[in-house]
Amino acid sequence: MTKKTSVVQTTYGQVQGFWRDGSAAFLNLPYAKDPVGALRFEAPVPPDSWSGIRSALEYGPTPQRRTPSAATTIPEPSIPGTGTLNLNVFTPTVPAGPGHEPGRGQGLLHPVLVWIHGGGFVGGSPASPWSDGAAFNRDGVVVVTISYRLGFDGFGWLPDAPLNRGMLDWIAALKWVQSNIAAFGGDPDKVTIGGQSAGGGAVMSLRSSPLAEGLFSQALIMSGAPLTVDMEAAKSTTARIAAALNVPVSKAGFQSVSEEAVLDAQMVPFPEFSGSAAEQALGRAHFVTTSLVFGPITEDVDAVLDGGGSVPTLVGTTRDEFAGFIRPAAKAVDVLPATQALERVGASPDVAAEYAERSAGTPTSRIVENYLSDLTFRRFVPQVAGQATAPVWTYQFQWEPPAAGYSGHCVDLPFAFGLLDADGVEAALGANPPVALADSMHAGIVGFCKDGNPGWTPYGEHGTTMIFDDVSGEASSDPYSLSRLLTADAPGRTSSAAGGRANA
């Protein structure tokens, strides 16, 4: 069947998207030139204009060239090609399509959610069926999903290249939104930036960056962490990769080798762990919480958390973010004293003792799972809320897919996007996940994007938090209170491996 299409004029030329049941999709819209050749390790450069009508009917090339593991929680297609600096727009109304013809200042424009995918800054895809904007469009929100450079190309240090090229890509995409989104029915004065996992970390970085000032008005952080790298670690990583490639530490040196070669060299091999089942599980968990390779380079991690306090923010996590590394070996871990197991995964003796004491009566495996979840993601929720001058709303997602038996990393995304019928959802969540839960969580995010309020009490001094479960409602006590113990124990960074699918 022939697709019903619409044509929109952007600042660079006309693009043709297609309609599907009240929602229009415009895919593979370039916001910068292809980052290849002389532009490979440069800041993004605006694209050239084109004549005629550019097809926007298929997703464009992705910086993810390889699926990070054999089976990730989220379906994330890798699409070949050089034009990786592209974005996708999903909208309920465009001038050439059904409905009104909106214009800036006419009161007919829709709020916008700009979504940054996760994947630990080494993987992830904006073409995932789990980030389609159809349900948001149904509720009057325009969605933009952006592609950005990953791994060394996006975040590797070079002495003669711009720092944080992947972050500069996010900013270039946001500038494109400011200049073009009104043509797609979106309000450039009402932009929420959102992301999950590493994407949530990207939102944290953007909240604190002067370069992003004025490009958005609100922030949505789902299972986010400030996945940053200090300068010395970044230089060490570059030296390691350059030695493996036998090239000088320079832009020209890295431009002289293929993308495939850099991808091979940048990977940190997952070590073999020996010992008992418990020792192996704890060793793997400790490795992934200390193995960050790529992320925004900064000398001041605290500034990422302390910045952006004036931005209204919706932030939360799943309850059991990191359970997937421990649950398979739970019986073996349970025979260990909790303090011993916690120290094995990196807790200081003082924190291990207090964390275990405050978790008395809980099996050791669950204590370790909770600690790792707090360490990697959950401790940042009260930190973001605590330094804010603008309102901050928090949530905890704790519905358990029956097969897994825990509420792990990524399982909340189909509920947030209202996409329980998307490809891959049944495999991850089981048959018939609760529609009422999806309606509730999705409505909260829609309310935040549209009205600046998700519909529950801000965090405030009482730690008020919305619990999303079979029965949702505000918690009677702060579910993030225990995670506060880890702020002094592990300030700042966490692992990209955790951001790259803790429960794959």
Side-chain angles (χ1 to χ4, degrees):
M1 187 173 70
T2 303
K3 293 179 179 178
K4 184 176 182 180
T5 61
S6 287
V7 174
V8 168
Q9 178 71 48
T10 74
T11 53
Y12 301 106
Q14 292 182 309
V15 295
Q16 183 183 52
F18 62 97
W19 286 88
R20 67 272 167 81
D21 192 22
S23 173
F26 293 79
L27 310 177
N28 188 25
L29 307 182
Y31 66 83
K33 289 184 177 180
D34 297 4
V36 296
L39 297 180
R40 182 174 174 191
F41 296 107
E42 296 294 341
V45 175
D48 293 327
S49 298
W50 58 84
S51 59
I53 298 175
R54 179 188 175 97
S55 174
L57 306 179
E58 303 288 342
Y59 283 108
T62 61
Q64 175 182 278
R65 301 309 200 185
R66 306 165 176 172
T67 302
S69 65
T72 58
T73 305
I74 303 174
E76 294 178 300
S78 296
I79 302 172
T82 60
T84 56
L85 299 186
N86 62 72
L87 52 78
N88 311 296
V89 177
F90 304 92
T91 178
T93 310
V94 295
H100 298 289
E101 184 169 335
R104 191 167 191 161
Q106 295 181 11
L108 298 175
L109 295 174
H110 301 286
V112 180
L113 173 61
V114 177
W115 183 255
I116 304 174
H117 69 76
F121 300 134
V122 294
S125 172
S128 172
W130 287 19
S131 56
D132 187 292
F136 278 108
N137 293 168
R138 176 198 66 207
D139 295 319
V141 177
V142 173
V143 172
V144 179
T145 62
I146 67 174
S147 179
Y148 58 94
R149 281 173 282 185
L150 302 169
F152 190 89
D153 279 33
F155 298 96
W157 176 84
L158 287 170
D160 52 350
L163 281 179
N164 300 327
R165 296 171 295 277
M167 186 171 178
L168 296 178
D169 294 344
W170 308 332
I171 292 169
L174 288 169
K175 289 180 177 178
W176 185 98
V177 168
Q178 286 296 308
S179 298
N180 290 280
I181 205 63
F184 296 87
D187 188 347
D189 297 325
K190 204 167 188 177
V191 173
T192 298
I193 53 170
Q196 185 265 355
S197 195
V203 173
M204 289 181 176
S205 293
L206 288 169
R207 287 168 78 246
S208 64
S209 173
L211 297 176
E213 190 171 347
L215 299 179
F216 60 91
S217 55
Q218 300 188 139
L220 166 63
I221 302 170
M222 297 180 61
S223 300
L227 296 164
T228 54
V229 178
D230 65 56
M231 185 66 74
E232 289 309 308
K235 291 180 178 179
S236 177
T237 294
T238 297
R240 172 182 64 82
I241 297 173
L245 295 171
N246 195 28
V247 298
V249 177
S250 66
K251 184 169 57 178
F254 275 77
Q255 285 173 337
S256 70
V257 294
S258 69
E259 182 184 38
E260 285 293 316
V262 173
L263 287 173
D264 289 337
Q266 75 179 20
M267 300 303 295
V268 177
F270 203 90
E272 293 288 336
F273 295 97
S274 59
S276 67
E279 290 171 335
Q280 292 181 47
L282 296 173
R284 284 191 293 268
H286 185 246
F287 174 78
V288 299
T289 56
T290 56
S291 61
L292 175 64
V293 178
F294 298 111
I297 300 169
T298 179
E299 297 286 13
D300 188 359
V301 177
D302 290 335
V304 176
L305 286 167
D306 295 340
S310 62
V311 179
T313 300
L314 173 57
V315 56
T317 68
T318 67
R319 185 189 59 203
D320 309 315
E321 295 278 0
F322 224 77
F325 278 95
I326 302 299
R327 193 63 60 94
K331 290 183 178 179
V333 174
D334 282 340
V335 303
L336 301 176
T339 53
Q340 177 183 331
L342 289 170
E343 290 183 35
R344 180 65 182 82
V345 294
S348 68
D350 288 346
V351 167
E354 185 171 357
Y355 201 95
E357 181 181 352
R358 291 180 58 177
S359 305
T362 303
T364 294
S365 61
R366 296 297 178 93
I367 294 174
V368 174
E369 289 176 6
N370 293 342
Y371 172 85
L372 293 170
S373 296
D374 284 341
L375 176 71
T376 51
F377 300 107
R378 293 172 52 80
R379 64 189 170 101
F380 301 110
V381 173
Q383 284 185 265
V384 167
Q387 53 79 46
T389 56
V392 174
W393 292 266
T394 63
Y395 72 86
Q396 175 175 280
F397 184 92
Q398 60 187 47
W399 178 78
E400 301 176 355
Y406 58 87
S407 182
H409 195 54
C410 304
V411 300
D412 53 340
L413 276 173
F415 296 89
F417 272 78
L419 295 173
L420 296 186
D421 59 349
D423 290 346
V425 170
E426 183 172 348
L429 305 182
N432 304 313
V435 174
L437 174 55
D439 291 345
S440 178
M441 188 176 192
H442 178 71
I445 297 174
V446 168
F448 181 68
C449 293
K450 295 177 77 170
D451 305 317
N453 188 332
W456 60 87
T457 308
Y459 189 78
E461 62 182 31
H462 301 296
T464 304
T465 297
M466 173 61 76
I467 300 298
F468 287 115
D469 204 340
D470 284 316
V471 178
S472 300
E474 293 184 5
S476 57
S477 60
D478 181 6
Y480 294 102
S481 60
L482 187 58
S483 69
R484 295 175 184 273
L485 282 178
L486 278 62
T487 301
D489 197 41
R493 297 189 307 279
T494 184
S495 78
S496 66
R501 303 297 173 261
N503 291 278

